[in-house]
Amino acid sequence: MKSKYHLLIITVVVTFLVTACKLDEKPYSFVSPSQFYTSAADAEAALTAAYTPVTDLYSRVGIQLPEYSGDQCFPRAVVGREQLTVFSYDATNDLVGQYWQHCFNGINRTNQVLENVPKIVMDETRKKHILAEAYFLRGLYYFHLAKTFGDVPLRQTSTKGIASTELAKSPVAEVYAFAIKDLEKAVADLPKTPKDKGRAAWGAAIGVLAKAYLYAGNNVKAAENAQALIKSNTYSLVPNVLDLYNPLKEDASRIEVIFAAEFSSLPGLIGYDLLGFYAPANSPPVFSKTAFGSAFGYHAFYKSFTNDDKRKMLLDTAYVNAQGKLIGQADVTLRDRIIVKKFMDPNSNGANGENNFPILRLADVYLIAAEAEARANGATQTAYDAINVVRKRAGLPNLVAGLSKDAFIEAVLQERSWELCYEADRWFDLTRTGNFKSVATALNSYYPTRPVQDKHRFFPIPNAEILTNSKLEQNPAWK
């Protein structure tokens, strides 16, 4: 939905100041940082620009890169997207490059904020919150880079010239440690309530912190922070899971959606257009005003849900097309494909929907708490309580006590697969647990083989970055 940080004019004003490290970009202004960072309004504008790469990332590539690699979703084989599914991509793949660039754009912009806002004379409380939001964003961007690429450069200052673009990689453990440090700063200084829709508050920081600790292997800290968020009673689950994705109910859903990429279908703003990808071709506008029929779910994943699971209603095996004809699995346009109905907007502006994309939900935090507790202490009652909250909302019975530690963790990972499907999470659950090669069995008539290899644990560093940074080396598995 429309939020203040999408105002186009603000972004244009600060484009030069916050531009990323690509060497071929043209400046649109000749305002220097010393001239710009002089007022509270300047600080707010710079922070606004630091949020923009969140929507840039999740408008497409931040979802497509992991989803098309996993075992829940596959693309129609056009414009090279199938390379992600059959693992034929390399370091020149455009989607890989976009993911990297959006994250480092965000990092450069947050570095600008952190370097220049402290010297501005303004309300000190608001200044503290602005800096905390910048720390949150930088931590979030580095969390994404660590889980996606592994070893990456740690850019702790903004780009000021060609020399500053020359930086070697840091080990992934150091990247996680750096992201965690930033997120802890954000937790300390962010208010409980966000300043505006789409902005980070304390809950977003401590929730992402818990997830970063889980990925970094510190299960005690992951459980501690997840439980702190749960016990704060700041958020609660939306009673009807189907309401979570209804753009007309997104404000009510903020009680569960802790942080999201905010989209708007209004002209001049960024709309969520992947709903058009999920909408089957020639479908009625109940899905979207524009339908591309470019992404579908796997049958095996659909069948993994029990019929009692309310989340299964977010998928379908048939639809009535625009001419009123029932299109089922016997029809060539849908054969061996499952319709993803999780993101629909009948009031979309063409393919641009109002749907916000959830980056962190309370349900995710409950499952982080369950998994981290089990990894640290075994399948305790605390762990069971956390997963059963999510299962109850889905209409499923409680997970019965008595599972071994490994069996319980496997049950949590399965629950994550159902609860967070198509939310850009599954592939990273598979890679962080070392189970990513299991996607080789997620096959159908469109993708009869998927030769995933060890090197696909992380994506390659984009070739363009290697060429423009003499100190940057490709990940060993991709050389």
Side-chain angles (χ1 to χ4, degrees):
M1 194 59 88
K2 182 178 178 181
S3 61
K4 292 183 179 179
Y5 75 83
H6 284 131
L7 294 178
L8 183 62
I9 188 169
I10 293 177
T11 304
V12 172
V13 169
V14 297
T15 297
F16 172 73
L17 299 175
V18 299
T19 188
C21 61
K22 288 188 69 175
L23 303 181
D24 58 351
E25 290 198 6
K26 298 179 181 180
Y28 292 91
S29 167
F30 293 97
V31 180
S32 70
S34 61
Q35 293 172 307
F36 177 75
Y37 289 97
T38 60
S39 68
D42 295 340
E44 298 286 359
L47 181 63
T48 292
Y51 272 96
T52 302
V54 173
T55 47
D56 292 340
L57 182 66
Y58 279 100
S59 62
R60 282 196 184 182
V61 66
I63 303 164
Q64 292 174 320
L65 204 68
E67 287 296 344
Y68 296 166
S69 301
D71 56 7
Q72 299 177 345
C73 181
F74 63 92
R76 187 159 53 91
V78 292
V79 298
R81 298 187 190 112
E82 73 281 0
Q83 292 178 11
L84 297 170
T85 307
V86 299
F87 299 96
S88 63
Y89 58 84
D90 59 21
T92 65
N93 183 276
D94 184 54
L95 293 177
V96 174
Q98 288 180 42
Y99 196 108
W100 176 285
Q101 194 63 54
H102 289 323
C103 289
F104 274 108
N105 281 348
I107 289 165
N108 196 58
R109 295 178 183 195
T110 57
N111 284 336
Q112 286 270 7
V113 172
L114 294 170
E115 290 167 6
N116 293 287
V117 169
K119 66 187 179 185
I120 295 176
V121 177
M122 60 180 293
D123 178 82
E124 289 299 319
T125 298
R126 180 57 193 147
K127 180 190 289 188
K128 182 175 74 171
H129 291 168
I130 287 174
L131 295 173
E133 287 183 66
Y135 279 120
F136 166 78
L137 288 170
R138 191 170 69 174
L140 179 69
Y141 292 132
Y142 267 119
F143 173 58
H144 283 323
L145 287 168
K147 67 182 182 179
T148 306
F149 296 98
D151 301 350
V152 299
L154 277 176
R155 298 193 177 279
Q156 302 180 47
T157 59
S158 62
T159 302
K160 299 177 178 65
I162 293 178
S164 65
T165 66
E166 298 282 300
L167 189 64
K169 294 185 298 183
S170 292
V172 65
E174 293 182 13
V175 180
Y176 275 123
F178 187 79
I180 285 169
K181 184 178 179 181
D182 273 359
L183 292 166
E184 286 176 336
K185 290 178 181 176
V187 169
D189 288 340
L190 280 174
K192 287 290 182 72
T193 304
K195 179 178 181 291
D196 296 304
K197 294 176 183 179
R199 294 297 183 95
W202 172 84
I206 197 168
V208 175
L209 177 61
K211 199 164 189 173
Y213 269 128
L214 182 69
Y215 274 69
N218 191 332
N219 298 306
V220 172
K221 281 289 188 180
E224 175 186 312
N225 284 280
Q227 285 292 348
L229 178 52
I230 292 167
K231 292 177 180 178
S232 73
N233 295 318
T234 307
Y235 299 90
S236 61
L237 296 186
V238 171
N240 183 352
V241 69
L242 303 182
D243 288 343
L244 269 170
Y245 310 100
N246 184 340
L248 298 178
K249 298 182 179 181
E250 67 180 22
D251 282 339
S253 295
R254 294 181 193 276
I255 194 66
E256 177 175 343
V257 179
I258 302 170
F259 188 69
E262 305 257 336
F263 294 100
S264 173
S265 62
L266 293 177
L269 299 179
I270 300 175
Y272 181 72
D273 74 346
L274 283 185
L275 58 98
F277 280 60
Y278 294 128
N282 195 30
S283 60
V286 65
F287 292 98
S288 170
K289 289 292 196 304
T290 299
F292 301 127
S294 293
F296 299 89
Y298 287 102
H299 263 274
F301 176 61
Y302 176 77
K303 291 177 181 178
S304 72
F305 289 88
T306 67
N307 290 333
D308 293 333
D309 195 326
K310 297 176 182 178
R311 297 167 298 195
K312 193 172 186 178
M313 297 172 66
L314 295 166
L315 306 172
D316 213 336
T317 59
Y319 71 101
V320 176
N321 71 8
Q323 286 73 45
K325 177 184 177 182
L326 178 65
I327 304 297
Q329 293 297 301
D331 193 285
V332 67
T333 63
L334 195 59
R335 185 177 303 140
D336 213 10
R337 292 167 169 168
I338 294 297
I339 303 167
V340 178
K341 297 165 61 178
K342 198 166 194 177
F343 304 103
M344 300 190 302
D345 185 1
N347 299 312
S348 67
N349 180 8
N352 291 324
E354 290 281 346
N355 315 65
N356 291 341
F357 188 84
I359 297 173
L360 183 72
R361 295 194 282 116
L362 184 63
D364 188 359
V365 177
Y366 271 114
L367 295 175
I368 291 169
E371 181 182 345
E373 170 68 15
R375 290 187 183 278
N377 302 310
T380 64
Q381 187 60 50
T382 298
Y384 276 100
D385 289 345
I387 190 175
N388 284 334
V389 170
V390 177
R391 289 177 62 84
K392 180 179 180 181
R393 198 263 298 270
L396 299 179
N398 284 348
L399 198 63
V400 178
L403 292 176
S404 68
K405 175 180 177 178
D406 289 345
F408 181 87
I409 291 171
E410 186 59 36
V412 175
L413 293 171
Q414 179 60 69
E415 200 67 42
R416 291 183 62 82
S417 176
W418 292 325
E419 178 66 29
L420 303 172
C421 63
Y422 309 110
E423 294 183 31
D425 212 76
R426 173 62 173 172
W427 173 249
F428 297 119
D429 276 345
L430 292 172
T431 55
R432 71 178 173 86
T433 58
N435 295 319
F436 62 97
K437 288 196 287 185
S438 66
V439 303
T441 63
L443 306 172
N444 57 24
S445 58
Y446 306 99
Y447 296 101
T449 60
R450 300 183 63 196
V452 58
Q453 303 172 46
D454 288 339
K455 70 177 183 179
H456 296 115
R457 164 69 178 84
F458 292 114
F459 287 94
I461 294 175
N463 191 55
E465 303 299 324
I466 302 291
L467 294 176
T468 57
N469 180 355
S470 64
K471 293 183 179 181
L472 187 60
E473 294 185 5
Q474 184 57 267
N475 291 332
W478 285 95
K479 287 185 177 180

